């Protein structure tokens, strides 16, 4: 549902290059956070891995592990957006849309020069 998807809601009116850049940045951030959580748990994804007697870090670790499913869901959605953006970008490139955009911009700004060389 587009209304529930936070990435779509935030970037639906952004220019395409900005959406691609934001998707990449968010995906990197989520992947880094996932790696950080997994490294704390020794690669385990279950809260049982956080039992440490008397350790103050156990609460922080338990919270991090509990947040992992939400983080993985966000990552999955971002990967879907990556696939969609890549497919759209392939079609845009195949139709030479960037060239038409540059031509349109140069015509609109008056900077177009009809120089065959």
């Amino acid at each position: 549902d587009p209304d529930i998807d936070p990435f779509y809601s935030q970037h639906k009116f952004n220019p395409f290059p900005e959406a691609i850049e934001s998707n990449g940045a968010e995906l990197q951030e989520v992947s880094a956070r996932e790696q950080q959580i997994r490294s704390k748990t020794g690669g385990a994804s279950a809260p049982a891995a956080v039992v440490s007697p008397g350790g103050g870090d156990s609460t922080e670790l338990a919270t991090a592990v509990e947040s992992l499913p939400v983080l993985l869901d966000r990552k999955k959605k971002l990967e879907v957006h990556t696939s969609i953006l890549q497919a759209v970008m392939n079609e845009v490139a195949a139709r030479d849309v960037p060239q038409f955009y540059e031509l349109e911009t140069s015509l609109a700004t008056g900077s177009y020069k009809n120089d065959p060389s």
Side-chain angles (χ1 to χ4, degrees):
D1 185 11
D3 298 325
I4 296 174
D5 186 332
F7 182 83
Y8 178 79
S9 296
Q10 185 177 2
H11 299 287
K12 62 185 169 186
F13 297 117
N14 286 5
F16 198 69
E18 285 181 27
I20 292 172
E21 186 176 321
S22 295
N23 179 265
E26 286 187 38
L27 192 55
Q28 268 187 322
E29 175 186 319
V30 167
S31 295
R33 182 71 181 131
E34 175 193 8
Q35 186 60 35
Q36 181 183 30
I37 291 170
R38 289 189 185 278
S39 70
K40 285 182 181 180
T41 62
S45 61
V50 293
V51 178
S52 67
D57 293 335
S58 64
T59 304
E60 178 186 330
L61 189 56
T63 303
V65 170
E66 288 171 7
S67 70
L68 189 59
V70 174
L71 193 66
L72 292 176
D73 184 55
R74 183 175 171 208
K75 181 179 178 183
K76 181 180 173 183
K77 288 179 181 176
L78 286 170
E79 288 171 343
V80 168
H81 284 289
T82 300
S83 296
I84 293 168
L85 290 168
Q86 184 62 50
V88 170
M89 193 62 210
N90 289 343
E91 287 300 313
V92 165
R95 296 177 185 204
D96 294 324
V97 173
Q99 276 186 300
F100 287 114
Y101 176 77
E102 289 175 16
L103 176 62
E104 179 184 37
T105 302
S106 64
L107 288 170
T109 60
S111 63
Y112 177 73
K113 298 200 181 353
N114 191 7
D115 186 7
S117 57

